[in-house]
Amino acid sequence: MSEKVLITTTESIAGYQTVETFGEVFGLTTRSRNVISSFGQSVKTLVGGEIKGYTKLQDTARDEAIDRLKTAAAKLGANAVVMMRFDSSSGTIGDSVTAYGTAVKIEKVND
């Protein structure tokens, strides 16, 4: 999406005022690793330590969920998402990540 959408975990953004609220928006993704990689990561659980393959999977899923959240907000005409949060779960199929928040239109406050 060419339009920039500001994402924040706070309710308000310093120096801006909310001029319109569009409502909830979501960015969803479910990602999985290939069978060989998953087997190698399973062996790692026996000896302990960080499972780097799954950490990379979580990073990729998080970034994709945020990108989809921005796209959903921009489609509504929003230029920001406030109160952004994540929800995630892991299962046999892979890791699911949901990014969600409130799509709003903000304008810079004139001092």
Side-chain angles (χ1 to χ4, degrees), residues 10 52 59 74:
T10 59
K52 293 183 182 189
D59 280 343

Side-chain angles (χ1 to χ4, degrees), residues 53-99:
Y54 283 119
T55 299
K56 183 177 178 184
L57 177 69
Q58 289 173 327
D59 280 343
T60 301
R62 183 196 64 226
D63 291 345
E64 191 169 271
I66 290 172
D67 285 345
R68 291 180 177 177
L69 176 71
K70 288 178 178 181
T71 298
K75 282 182 181 178
L76 294 175
N79 62 356
V81 175
V82 295
M83 301 297 292
M84 192 277 293
R85 301 289 186 262
F86 286 109
D87 188 22
S88 64
S89 63
S90 295
T92 55
I93 193 170
D95 287 347
S96 294
V97 176
T98 303

Side-chain angles (χ1 to χ4, degrees), residues 6 11-21 79-80 82 104-111:
L6 179 63
E11 185 176 354
S12 59
I13 303 168
Y16 290 85
Q17 65 180 352
T18 299
V19 295
E20 190 171 357
T21 301
N79 62 356
V82 295
V104 297
K105 181 169 230 151
I106 56 173
E107 290 180 356
K108 195 128 178 93
V109 175
N110 295 326
D111 292 326

Side-chain angles (χ1 to χ4, degrees), residues 26-81:
F26 298 88
L28 311 162
T29 188
T30 299
R31 313 252 332 159
S32 67
R33 304 221 12 111
N34 67 52
V35 174
I36 294 169
S37 179
S38 291
F39 176 75
Q41 300 307 315
S42 296
V43 171
K44 178 68 174 176
T45 63
L46 298 174
V47 295
E50 180 182 10
I51 304 172
K52 293 183 182 189
Y54 283 119
T55 299
K56 183 177 178 184
L57 177 69
Q58 289 173 327
D59 280 343
T60 301
R62 183 196 64 226
D63 291 345
E64 191 169 271
I66 290 172
D67 285 345
R68 291 180 177 177
L69 176 71
K70 288 178 178 181
T71 298
K75 282 182 181 178
L76 294 175
N79 62 356
V81 175

